[in-house]
Amino acid sequence: MKPVWVQRAAAVLFWLAVWQCAAMAVGQEVFLVSPVAALRALVQLLPTADFWGRVWFSSGRILLGFGLGAGCSVLLAAASAKIRWVDILLSPLMQLVKATPVASFIILALVWVRGRSLSILISFLMVLPVLYGAVRTGIQSTDPQLLEMARVFRLPRMRRLRAIWLPAVLPAFHQGCSVALGICWKSGVAAEVIGLPDGSIGDALYRAKITLSTGDLFAWTFVIICVSALFEKLFLWILDRAVKRVTGEEAAR
Amino acid sequence: MSIQIEELCKRYGDKVLFEHLNLRVEKPAVLWAPSGWGKTTLLRILMGLEQPDGGRVTGVGRVGAVFQENRLCRALNAVQNVALVTPDGKGDPEAIRRDFGLLGMQGAALALPTARLSGGQKRRTALLRALWAEADTLLLDEPFTGLDPAAMQQAAALLRQRCAGRSALLATHDRAAIQALGWPVLVLAGQNGPESGGK
């Protein structure tokens, strides 16, 4: 049996080959660019200041939206776990946000905010119900017997948080973040494609589409996937370290 | 500090657990009662986790407890679980390790998350946690469950040593444990309180 990374690399190579064959069969780069041409477009993009400026612009805003969404969801989930009427009040709102198509939010949000801030608001809105639900689930999974123990021993609030609440909530939060980070990148870039803020990745995608630069379109898509995966890995790594530090636990999984 | 139980009543629906129970615990004692009498419920009332239907309890103060279940923080190791209930939350890890040694638990087991300990090791951790708590009263619900005879003897010896001078109520069915402890036994066979002071 080959190591897992060899199997994965083989799978990637297989699909790249399928893509190459399909591109050769279609024979028109406007419709389907070959992986080689997409790679060529990416190599041309990489050394330009415009490329890094766009990556910085979009990453900053999308991650700001994620951070705000994560912060708010933790606070709201904690409040709704503690206060019943907050839970009753927030429940339909979160359902609504979760069920509303992202395109509706983007178009509606364009009326409220400038295109430059659109991706912040959209990532925030997409992240909020996901992490709210995850944190809520984590809080609900807290062992009531441990909470009784903490009450009997009169453990201070911070110690309860560290020893009981965080170990219960963080695995769910970790999982929620993994999902939410992917969602916020997809929705944030979609917002940029519609809002067209200057200097964003979404704007570059749109330009690639109207100029029929399919190579650039694929290159930018590849960049979005990579940046999204990179931030997800980095964030979850930081979260794992924080969990270990705070709870003494080996990993929040 | 002595625990004073006056006219205590507790019922679940139609089932009366105890009625007009009067009890005074000034020094460590064993609470003995038939299964289903309500020992755990009585201890839970003393811990403040349940409300009685009548009567009152005074003189409990701060509690160190061994529950029917171990109730340990799974991610923390045995020493961290004990340290958690100390006034500063850190305790004295060396002294805690020495105490674990007295209970026949040492070495690598102390560094493992408690989720990975055996039943007996978890029980000893729960017991030591109660002893390390800043407590006026110890309430111990079957603390020797899962311990082999040797470990039980060690635990009883440590309890005898550490419970001197404060009130403690230990619920058990284990006659060997009662003998090892040598504490007075409060026999709660009826619904109105102790039937005799010794057993």
Side-chain angles (χ1 to χ4, degrees):
Chain A
M1 195 76 175
K2 298 251 187 307
V4 175
W5 72 268
V6 174
Q7 292 174 24
R8 284 186 184 163
V12 170
L13 283 175
F14 170 78
W15 288 113
L16 281 173
V18 170
W19 178 10
Q20 179 69 40
C21 291
M24 285 161 68
V26 172
Q28 291 193 49
E29 293 224 323
V30 173
F31 292 116
L32 185 62
V33 76
S34 68
V36 176
L39 183 67
R40 200 182 309 126
L42 180 65
V43 170
Q44 281 170 355
L45 281 173
L46 278 174
T48 64
D50 178 65
F51 170 82
W52 293 105
R54 285 178 191 276
V55 170
W56 174 250
F57 180 100
S58 296
S59 305
R61 280 164 176 74
I62 290 169
L63 292 177
L64 178 62
F66 172 80
L68 291 172
C72 283
S73 62
V74 169
L75 292 177
L76 291 177
S80 72
K82 184 90 181 157
I83 309 161
R84 199 171 138 65
W85 63 261
V86 174
D87 185 32
I88 293 169
L89 212 61
L90 286 178
S91 182
L93 186 69
M94 291 298 169
Q95 288 294 331
L96 183 79
V97 175
K98 211 188 312 190
T100 305
V102 65
S104 306
F105 268 129
I106 294 169
I107 291 162
L108 192 60
L110 265 174
V111 181
W112 301 331
V113 296
R114 289 180 306 143
R116 291 177 73 81
S117 310
L118 188 63
S119 53
I120 303 174
L121 179 64
I122 294 302
S123 350
F124 169 82
L125 284 172
M126 293 301 108
V127 162
L128 190 69
V130 175
L131 286 183
Y132 173 83
V135 175
R136 200 72 187 81
T137 306
I139 292 173
Q140 279 167 347
S141 72
T142 308
D143 186 347
Q145 293 192 338
L146 280 184
L147 293 175
E148 272 192 357
M149 180 278 291
R151 203 173 130 198
V152 169
F153 283 100
R154 299 188 193 177
L155 295 189
R157 231 173 254 273
M158 281 310 290
R159 235 179 280 171
R160 289 182 200 206
L161 184 70
R162 189 170 61 86
I164 300 170
W165 290 107
L166 285 180
V169 171
L170 281 171
F173 183 69
H174 186 283
Q175 207 173 357
C177 282
S178 175
V179 174
L181 273 162
I183 291 175
C184 79
W185 269 97
K186 283 179 199 160
S187 55
V189 172
E192 287 177 350
V193 170
I194 296 174
L196 296 177
D198 283 340
S200 67
I201 292 179
D203 177 52
L205 272 179
Y206 185 74
R207 281 170 198 273
K209 181 238 166 192
I210 56 171
T211 58
L212 299 176
S213 310
T214 317
D216 284 357
L217 188 67
F218 273 75
W220 276 113
T221 306
F222 181 71
V223 168
I224 295 165
I225 293 167
C226 289
V227 175
S228 166
L230 180 76
F231 277 111
E232 185 185 325
K233 293 270 180 228
L234 187 68
F235 181 81
L236 296 181
W237 180 77
I238 293 170
L239 190 63
D240 273 347
R241 302 276 298 181
V243 171
K244 197 174 168 186
R245 204 180 162 85
V246 171
T247 65
E249 202 173 349
E250 294 214 348
R253 260 170 257 162
Chain B
M1 207 165 207
S2 67
I3 305 169
Q4 187 89 36
I5 296 169
E6 293 169 60
E7 297 296 310
L8 203 68
C9 303
K10 183 70 186 176
R11 61 185 74 89
Y12 287 115
D14 291 341
K15 192 190 176 199
V16 177
L17 282 186
F18 39 81
E19 245 177 350
H20 308 295
L21 176 69
N22 291 288
L23 204 60
R24 189 182 175 88
V25 183
E26 288 177 332
K27 52 185 180 179
V30 171
L31 190 66
W32 190 94
S35 290
W37 181 90
K39 293 188 295 296
T40 296
T41 304
L42 176 60
L43 291 181
R44 285 177 61 82
I45 290 172
L46 294 175
M47 289 174 198
L49 296 175
E50 278 190 43
Q51 289 299 312
D53 295 314
R56 66 187 200 129
V57 171
T58 53
V60 177
R62 290 184 68 113
V63 170
V66 173
F67 302 88
Q68 217 170 25
E69 314 80 13
N70 295 313
R71 303 195 183 190
L72 300 171
C73 298
R74 295 164 53 86
L76 302 182
N77 65 35
V79 176
Q80 288 168 329
N81 263 287
V82 173
L84 189 69
V85 301
T86 59
D88 64 353
K90 293 171 186 160
D92 177 348
E94 264 317 301
I96 294 171
R97 280 192 197 96
R98 275 200 299 277
D99 277 358
F100 270 115
L102 297 175
L103 291 175
M105 203 172 142
Q106 50 218 343
L110 299 182
L112 291 175
T114 43
R116 293 171 59 188
L117 297 180
S118 70
Q121 288 171 325
K122 284 179 188 165
R123 203 60 182 159
R124 280 177 273 189
T125 306
L127 178 61
L128 205 55
R129 179 179 63 186
L131 293 178
W132 269 81
E134 196 181 25
D136 306 302
T137 301
L138 289 174
L139 299 171
L140 314 164
D141 196 353
E142 300 282 2
F144 307 121
T145 305
L147 300 190
D148 58 46
M152 187 274 287
Q153 290 291 342
Q154 289 170 322
L158 192 65
L159 270 175
R160 273 201 313 272
Q161 184 195 335
R162 298 290 164 84
C163 289
R166 54 179 165 176
S167 46
L169 207 49
L170 184 149
T172 185
H173 273 112
D174 188 340
R175 285 170 194 277
I178 295 171
Q179 268 190 338
L181 283 165
W183 290 351
V185 180
L186 303 169
V187 183
L188 300 170
Q191 287 178 346
N192 302 321
E195 284 191 341
S196 67
K199 188 176 163 72

